[in-house]
């Protein structure tokens, strides 16, 4: 009785902790998105410099990551040669900087709710680029699922009250760059046995993002900032915003480490619905019935995608366990045969 009770208490503790990690991640992800929108939107804080904002984030995150890895030594760095850094980290950093720049730029032109609807295309982009790079096998069922998500997003876009073509191009570009980055991580790092958690990822990737963003910043935003003599750097706004962005990376580290990447995908769907509700009720963005219908269709497609991934993971785990069982059975059989042969030779002697 006591043993069963302690077991159920342990299980309950794990479940509650998992929910806590999910809750923290949703809260921080939600906060970063709304905070970025507040800073960049012309009707709110009105600081429409997405490259500068991304560079502030990267500078803050790379500095804190350096302190955690090199000074406090709370996180172990991975062994990284110069060749590996140039061939793997630099292209990933370039894609990450483009993804962040484009996604932050989209907040100037589009509502938070519509951006979340467009982000539903991420599985489509990851799958398509995965097939292109031969990391995913082409399946008719999977492609039909991807088309259903795309169709749902297209309906949501058709029903958007504040549709802006340039904003849509920026957000779709951000999705494409992020999907390519995720596939390249598999090709350039995971296949070589290198795993980066969010802290070591920031430690290696954030500094090169800063360098990549410096070029467009000099050409696009620096001349405008130089003319804006009235601007003064608000340490409270940009400091807390950067801290939230860094805390979000820590939350990803906790969530994926203590649960799984799939849990984060499912939590992401919940976060998207919350953001749509917040955008409509608090920011007063227009969300039309056609918007919701289209996103509902896309949501069902994403849910099916996550379910398929879960089934594939379960099948892989079952296959691994079966192989281990067969290996152990083979080893036991060999040991018994060895013992039998030993006894037989003893009796003959």
């Amino acid at each position: 009785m006591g043993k069963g009770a302690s077991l159920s208490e342990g299980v309950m503790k794990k479940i509650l902790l998992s929910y806590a990690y999910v809750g923290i991640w949703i809260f921080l992800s939600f906060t970063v998105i709304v905070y970025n929108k507040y800073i960049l939107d012309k009707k709110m804080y009105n600081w429409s410099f997405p490259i500068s904002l991304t560079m502030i984030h990267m500078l803050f995150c790379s500095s804190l990551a350096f302190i955690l890895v090199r000074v406090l030594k709370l996180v172990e760095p991975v062994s990284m040669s110069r060749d590996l850094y140039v061939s793997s980290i630099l292209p990933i950093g370039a894609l990450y900087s483009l993804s962040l720049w484009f996604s932050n730029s989209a907040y100037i032109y589009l509502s938070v709710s519509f951006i979340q609807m467009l982000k539903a295309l991420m599985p489509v982009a990851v799958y398509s680029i995965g097939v292109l790079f031969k990391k995913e096998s082409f399946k008719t069922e999977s492609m039909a699922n991807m088309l259903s998500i795309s169709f749902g997003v297209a309906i949501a876009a058709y029903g958007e009250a504040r549709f802006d073509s340039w904003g849509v191009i920026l957000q779709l570009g951000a999705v494409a760059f992020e999907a390519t980055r995720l596939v390249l991580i598999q090709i350039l790092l995971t296949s070589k046995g290198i795993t980066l958690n969010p802290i070591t990822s920031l430690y290696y990737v954030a500094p090169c993002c800063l360098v990549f963003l410096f070029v467009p910043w000099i050409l696009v935003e620096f001349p405008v900032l130089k003319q804006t003599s009235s601007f003064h750097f608000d340490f409270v706004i940009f400091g807390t915003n950067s801290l939230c962005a860094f805390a979000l990376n820590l939350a990803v580290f906790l969530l994926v480490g203590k649960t799984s990447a799939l849990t984060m995908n499912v939590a992401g769907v919940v976060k998207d619905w919350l953001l749509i509700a917040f955008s409509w009720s608090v920011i007063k963005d227009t969300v039309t019935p056609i918007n919701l219908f289209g996103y509902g269709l896309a949501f069902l497609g994403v849910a099916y995608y996550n379910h398929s991934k879960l089934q594939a993971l379960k099948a892989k785990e079952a296959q691994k366990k079966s192989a281990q069982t067969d290996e152990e059975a083979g080893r036991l059989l060999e040991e018994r045969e060895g013992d039998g042969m030993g006894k037989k030779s003893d009796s003959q002697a």
Side-chain angles (χ1 to χ4, degrees), residues 114 117-118 150-163 168 288-291 293-294:
F114 187 45
M117 292 175 192
L118 291 173
S150 304
F151 182 63
V153 172
I155 292 172
Y158 177 75
E160 176 58 21
R162 279 184 56 208
F163 187 89
V168 171
T288 67
I290 298 172
N291 269 153
F293 176 71

Side-chain angles (χ1 to χ4, degrees), residues 331-347:
R331 194 162 52 243
L332 282 169
L333 191 64
E334 281 176 15
E335 284 172 8
R336 283 176 186 172
E337 284 176 357
D339 289 343
M341 288 294 287
K343 285 176 184 177
K344 192 174 179 184
S345 59
D346 287 344
S347 62

Side-chain angles (χ1 to χ4, degrees), residues 37-56:
K37 173 68 175 174
Y38 167 75
I39 290 170
L40 295 163
D41 197 296
K42 290 173 184 176
K43 294 176 185 174
M44 297 180 195
Y45 190 75
N46 190 26
W47 198 70
S48 305
F49 299 100
I51 306 172
S52 302
L53 183 64
T54 309
M55 286 178 76
I56 292 165

Side-chain angles (χ1 to χ4, degrees), residues 30-31 33-35 37-38 44 111-113 116 270-287:
F30 184 100
T31 304
I33 288 166
V34 173
Y35 211 157
K37 173 68 175 174
Y38 167 75
M44 297 180 195
S111 66
V112 170
S113 55
Q116 300 319 301
V270 176
K271 177 208 70 182
D272 290 343
W273 278 111
L274 288 171
L275 276 165
I276 290 166
F278 181 85
S279 178
W280 170 72
S281 60
V282 179
I283 304 175
K284 302 298 179 187
D285 285 329
T286 306
V287 179

Side-chain angles (χ1 to χ4, degrees), residues 16 57 98 112 139 198 216 231 256 284 313 315 337:
L16 288 171
H57 287 175
L98 287 166
V112 170
K139 291 176 184 171
F231 173 73
V256 176
K284 302 298 179 187
L313 281 171
E337 284 176 357

Side-chain angles (χ1 to χ4, degrees), residues 208-258:
C208 67
C209 279
L210 202 57
V211 174
F212 280 121
L213 288 166
F214 186 74
V215 177
W217 180 75
I218 284 287
L219 297 171
V220 179
E221 292 185 4
F222 178 67
V224 184
L225 280 166
K226 200 165 63 171
Q227 289 172 0
T228 317
S229 55
S230 60
F231 173 73
H232 69 281
F233 190 83
D234 193 327
F235 283 95
V236 175
I237 290 286
F238 294 105
T240 51
N241 180 246
S242 299
L243 190 63
C244 286
F246 185 78
L248 177 59
N249 280 282
L250 283 176
V252 171
F253 183 30
L254 276 173
L255 184 62
V256 176
K258 301 295 180 183

